[in-house]
Every structure is written in structure tokens, then in C-alpha cells.
Amino acid sequence: MFAIGIHYLNGWAAATNPSNWDRAEWPPHPDRLFMALVSAHFETGEESIERDSLLWLESLTYPAIHASGAVERQMAVPGSSIRNFTGVRAVTKYVPVNDTPKKPERLKLLPELREKRGRTFPVVIPESPFVYFIWADAQPTEEIEAGLAQLCAKVAYLGHSTSLVQVWVEKAPPKPSLVPTKQRGDVRLRVFGEGRLGRLIHLYDSGPIRPSANLWCSYRQAVEEKETEYIASTAFDENIIILRKISGPLIGIESALTVCRFLRDTVLKLATQPIPEWLSGHGPDGSPSRHIHAAFFPLPHVGFQYSDGHLIGLGIALPKSVDPEEVRQVLSSVFYDATWYPRKIQLVMGRLGEWNLVLDNLESRPTALQPWLWTGSGTKQKTDTWATVTPITLHRHLKLTAEEKALLASEEEPRRTTIRQKMLNRKCEELIRQACRFVGIPEPVTIQLMKTSVFAGVPHIKQYPLLERRPGEQLPHTHAILKFPCPVRGPLLLGAGLHRGYGLCRPWFGMKREEGDDDPRPGRV
């Protein structure tokens, strides 16, 4: 095992997030460390042992990272602050610009007469000032280790020059908190690979030119699996794609069907052609797919004390059976531009207005944009009970058979309505059990059908438009609470509208309800 340790001597880190210059970068990206080592090498004599160490380091696999949580500095300076889309105020100072004109007026060379422009200084304050980059399978030779130790000792700052650090070679690092993954992770970081040193030298000799991001890698939380109890999981990958709304009008969750339809159309338009079946939901001949395919669903602000049900983003769940490399090839053009920065996705939705979305890869997110809220992963509570956020659309209409109608006719008039409703409820429950089997999870032990969701902010079921299977044929839908025989790992979408935003469920851990209340009021979730 081999690791490089970093100690932020000031207790804070000042480095600009490459995807948003008004935000601070945390954890530090591996490529930032590598460029700091390269800079130290060329500024202090260019010893051959150091160069050999850098070439060895760039040949390794992407490192795991041990880093604590962090908060961004929030400071409001009247007249010298900017507000970004997250509400965090990044401190801005106005400084003289460089001498850009070829023949500037001599008086304007004086500092007090120079034009001044704003420059932001994003800062993050970690819980712990120590960070470790860990290569579990690497073991350097004594010469390489000595060269790396010599380089590390020369690094004085990481990021901004005020972000002072101490760097060293660590032989016994702590366990990593972030590990690289080929699937969709929690955060994307710039990494380095073979040839990075030569690329940096070429850029410097050519201008010098400011180095751009070389490679990107997804990182996920490193979680120790301590569960001995069986956990069922749906046919969807729990690494859901989160799209954050950055501009546009407020839209309620009752419009989820329409918004998700526009998102699907936009993704299919931007994706790399030809569109595979797992994304479009149609086979090569245009016939509807009989298998699980991409599901587009809303991410609303619901389930909390002051929730109002408005959408703050959208999600995409992909089948687990799809190769992550194929996903990257098909969807890269949707979410990233040519420089691999997240691109804005514009949804033009007619009377609903226009939205701008972006792939959310920020470490600090609203709760509704946290994947664990919709998958149940990482929570300490048992996720065997789920409740609907958008109603489950049934695959067919509820009709009584001839035998059931005859049995119902034999009952006394006052009891017929109650018995008929119970018959229809049993048919509805059976359709929901079939929907659970379709997505690969066991049948619920109990199903409680409802007209309102248990989550605060979700409107009454009558406010949701019915899903049309074909023109003029609308399918019924219902809210429900589902209790399973074992914990379930999401995302969980059920019913005929599961690929279009309906049937979205969330883990539910109880509510306040009075006995005999047919329209329960949700408690705090």
C-alpha cells in the first residue's frame, strides 16, 4: 500500500471548482495534486529521480481518497459579493487587471487608476484538515519512494497560494471514504493517467497554456457492508442520474407526467445515435419493449414540514443490466460538452415554460436531490416499507367477473357498495403485486390503498392526470403504502407509468395518525 498525505495548515482549503468557478473544490482532485508535484519538480532543479517518480505515479490506477465532509465558507460582503444558484455567497475582491492594451495610457498604469474587476475566492472548511490519496495495490521501490518524498516536501500550497499545505508519503493511511467506480458515482473528480507529465510539459512549452482537465473519474462513497439480512433490489441501478433545475418557473409534482415526457424527448434527441432499446423503450422494429428500460421521474420537495410539492430536479434510472461503458458512450453527449464539463439541458415545455437543467455532481445538494432518499441506500433505518410519491397507474381497468357480480347481487342492498369496493381493492392489490414482480422485488406483505400520499406536499390523487394507454383510454391510479417481507433497495417505480414518472416510491418510516382517520395527515418524515 502507498499513499500521499496532505495537511491543510490553515484549517481550510482555497481552490476553485472547475465546473463552477464560484464554488470551492472538495475533496481536492487527484490531478490537482499531480500538477502541484510537477510544479515543485520544475521549480526546484528538475532532478531525474523526481521525474522517474512522477512517471511511476502517473502509471498507477486512480487513487482512492480519504477526506472528511466540509462546508463552504458563507460570507456576505455588501457591494463585493455575488450570489450563485445555490445561495452560497462567494467572496469577491476587486483587483487591478493586467496590462492588456499594447499602448496603455501612462497615467492608467498607476494602480489606483487601473480598471478593476471582480475575482472570487471560494473557500471550503473541512471537518478534518487531513486528506489522503491511497493506492492500495501499489508499492514503490526505495528510490521511487525517496523521490516522491522529496517532491512532496517541496509542495507548499494546493490550489490558491494562500491554501498552505504539508505533503508527505504515508505508509499507513486510514480507510478511504471515496473509491473510483466505472458506474455513476456521487462525485466526478479530475484524475491523471499515463502521459499526463508529457502533456503538461507540452502545454507549458507551447504558450504557456493553462492546463485543462485531462481525465475525469466518478467516485462513490466507500461503505462497509455489514448487513447480514437479505436486501431485495429492483431491476434499476441505484446510481441514479440526478438533474438539477438551475432556472425556470415553479412546477408542481402533479405535472410530472408532462415534464418527464419532455425530458425523455430531449434526452433521445441529444443521445448518440442509434438509440438503444434500454433508453428508448422500443425495439429495432419500433415495437414497445417488454423489458425494463430507462425511467424518467420527478424529484419533488415533499415529505417535510414545509414541503409544497414543487419540482427541484428530475431523475433518470437505468437498468442494472446495461454496461456502464455503453451508458457513457450513449449519454455523454447529453450531459457533457466537448471539454467534459456538465452542459445545460434545455426543456421547452409549451405552456409550462422553459427549464434549464444540469447534471448534479455537487457534494452539497438539497435533500430531494440526494440519491439515498430515493434508493434507501446508506440509511440506518430499515427500508422494508415504501410509500408512493406519484400514484401507481394500474395496467388495466378493474372489472368484476360474472361470478362476482352474481355474488354481489345476492347480498343485501346496504352491503353491496362495501363488498364491491373490497372486491375491486383486492384486484387492485393483485395488480400492484404483479408490478412488484415485474421490477424484480418480492410481493408486498401488506398493501394499504389511499387517495392521498403520506408525504407532506403531495397533492390529492384527483390533481394527477390519468395516464392514457391509447387515445381515449385512461387507466386508473392509486396511492399506496407497501410493506415488504425484507428491506428493499431502490429506486422503486411501479405500474404502467413507471417509465414516465408515475409510481415513484420512497422509503417511509412512519407517520402520525389517529384511529379511524380515513384521510391521514402526514407527520414529519
Side-chain angles (χ1 to χ4, degrees):
M1 178 179 289
F2 162 74
I4 293 179
I6 301 171
H7 179 198
Y8 284 90
L9 300 177
N10 295 331
W12 45 264
T16 301
N17 191 319
S19 61
N20 185 349
W21 285 16
D22 295 334
R23 307 272 325 227
E25 175 185 284
W26 189 262
H29 293 198
D31 194 42
R32 185 179 294 278
L33 171 65
F34 186 80
M35 288 191 291
L37 294 172
V38 173
S39 177
H41 167 64
F42 284 101
E43 290 177 353
T44 58
E46 304 181 28
E47 295 187 29
S48 59
I49 183 61
E50 295 177 353
R51 184 184 182 91
D52 293 341
S53 300
L54 289 171
L55 291 173
W56 177 83
L57 188 63
E58 71 173 17
S59 68
L60 302 180
T61 57
Y62 304 146
I65 301 173
H66 172 87
S68 67
V71 294
E72 289 192 70
R73 177 178 62 179
Q74 301 185 29
M75 185 177 298
V77 181
S80 62
S81 299
I82 63 172
R83 180 177 292 275
N84 55 34
F85 54 81
T86 61
V88 177
R89 287 186 180 269
V91 176
T92 300
K93 299 295 183 182
Y94 290 89
V95 297
V97 298
N98 295 329
D99 298 331
T100 52
K102 294 183 178 180
K103 295 182 179 180
E105 297 180 15
R106 296 197 175 189
L107 286 177
K108 290 188 177 180
L109 292 177
L110 298 175
E112 61 269 18
L113 297 180
R114 286 188 186 180
E115 178 187 358
K116 295 182 179 181
R117 294 180 182 176
R119 183 181 175 191
T120 59
F121 295 90
V123 168
V124 65
I125 304 173
E127 297 172 3
S128 170
F130 295 96
V131 177
Y132 297 88
F133 293 91
I134 305 165
W135 291 266
D137 300 328
Q139 189 60 50
T141 63
E142 292 184 2
E143 293 78 8
I144 295 296
E145 184 176 341
L148 285 173
Q150 183 174 306
L151 267 179
C152 289
K154 296 178 180 180
V155 177
Y157 62 89
L158 199 61
H160 193 267
S161 58
T162 60
S163 186
L164 304 179
V165 295
Q166 177 188 10
V167 185
W168 69 97
V169 174
E170 176 63 54
K171 295 183 179 181
K175 294 182 178 179
S177 56
L178 289 171
V179 294
T181 176
K182 293 183 179 180
Q183 299 179 339
R184 294 172 299 281
D186 301 310
V187 63
R188 292 176 68 249
L189 305 180
R190 294 175 298 162
V191 293
F192 57 89
E194 203 159 358
R196 181 56 166 165
L197 177 60
R199 176 64 175 166
L200 292 174
I201 295 174
H202 173 73
L203 290 174
Y204 183 82
D205 293 340
S206 301
I209 301 174
R210 183 183 182 90
S212 58
N214 182 44
L215 296 170
W216 290 83
C217 179
S218 294
Y219 278 74
R220 63 172 176 82
Q221 296 290 333
V223 180
E224 294 184 13
E225 294 293 338
K226 299 180 179 179
E227 300 150 325
T228 57
E229 185 178 15
Y230 171 72
I231 298 179
S233 60
T234 67
F236 292 107
D237 190 342
E238 65 181 77
N239 295 299
I240 57 180
I241 299 173
I242 302 292
L243 300 175
R244 173 171 36 87
K245 188 191 83 168
I246 57 177
S247 66
L250 286 179
I251 297 178
I253 189 177
E254 64 275 8
S255 300
L257 196 64
T258 302
V259 176
C260 290
R261 174 169 58 85
F262 281 107
L263 173 63
R264 177 184 179 275
D265 294 344
T266 302
V267 169
L268 294 183
K269 180 180 178 181
L270 298 176
T272 303
Q273 304 294 326
I275 304 298
E277 182 178 343
W278 57 261
L279 181 61
S280 67
H282 292 86
D285 59 351
S287 60
S289 174
R290 293 182 176 273
H291 306 288
I292 291 288
H293 51 274
F296 302 83
F297 58 93
L299 297 174
H301 182 245
V302 298
F304 302 96
Q305 186 174 4
Y306 300 107
S307 296
D308 58 3
H310 74 277
L311 302 181
I312 63 174
L314 299 172
I316 305 175
L318 301 178
K320 289 190 294 189
S321 58
V322 182
D323 182 20
E325 180 61 25
E326 184 182 355
V327 173
R328 187 190 68 81
Q329 293 176 0
V330 174
L331 295 182
S332 292
S333 60
V334 179
F335 305 121
Y336 301 104
D337 59 20
T339 61
W340 282 95
Y341 285 154
R343 64 178 292 181
K344 290 183 180 180
I345 303 172
Q346 186 180 38
L347 299 188
V348 181
M349 302 178 289
R351 290 181 296 177
L352 290 179
E354 295 183 7
W355 267 17
N356 282 315
L357 302 167
V358 69
L359 184 68
D360 191 278
N361 58 3
L362 300 178
E363 292 83 0
S364 177
R365 302 172 176 173
T367 303
L369 298 184
Q370 297 285 355
W372 57 261
L373 187 71
W374 307 100
T375 64
S377 60
T379 179
K380 296 181 180 179
Q381 294 178 286
K382 195 173 182 180
T383 57
D384 60 345
T385 304
W386 291 65
T388 53
V389 175
T390 55
I392 301 173
T393 299
L394 305 181
H395 288 82
R396 61 175 180 267
H397 290 276
L398 303 177
K399 296 181 180 179
L400 298 180
T401 63
E403 295 180 357
E404 290 171 333
K405 291 180 179 179
L407 178 61
L408 189 63
S410 64
E411 297 290 338
E412 298 179 359
E413 183 63 32
R415 298 185 56 198
R416 287 182 183 177
T417 302
T418 302
I419 295 175
R420 182 179 183 277
Q421 189 60 51
K422 289 183 178 180
M423 290 179 176
L424 294 178
N425 286 350
R426 283 196 294 268
K427 292 179 177 293
C428 180
E429 292 172 4
E430 178 56 33
L431 292 178
I432 293 177
R433 291 189 176 93
Q434 293 177 14
C436 292
R437 294 196 298 268
F438 179 73
V439 297
I441 57 176
E443 296 181 3
V445 177
T446 59
I447 300 175
Q448 183 179 352
L449 304 177
M450 309 173 69
K451 294 183 179 180
T452 57
S453 173
V454 297
F455 295 113
V458 178
H460 192 275
I461 197 171
K462 291 183 178 179
Q463 298 187 37
Y464 289 90
L466 294 173
L467 182 67
E468 290 188 355
R469 180 163 55 186
R470 55 180 64 91
E473 182 182 357
Q474 295 179 325
L475 297 173
H477 54 211
T478 180
H479 279 295
I481 301 175
L482 313 175
K483 182 172 178 59
F484 296 93
C486 62
V488 171
R489 188 69 50 83
L492 180 57
L493 296 110
L494 300 171
L498 71 94
H499 298 110
R500 302 164 65 178
Y502 275 7
L504 175 64
C505 300
R506 218 178 85 179
W508 181 62
F509 306 112
M511 68 177 181
K512 299 175 182 179
R513 180 178 179 180
E514 296 180 0
E515 291 294 327
D517 188 1
D518 293 329
D519 187 12
R521 300 284 181 178
R524 299 185 65 179
V525 180

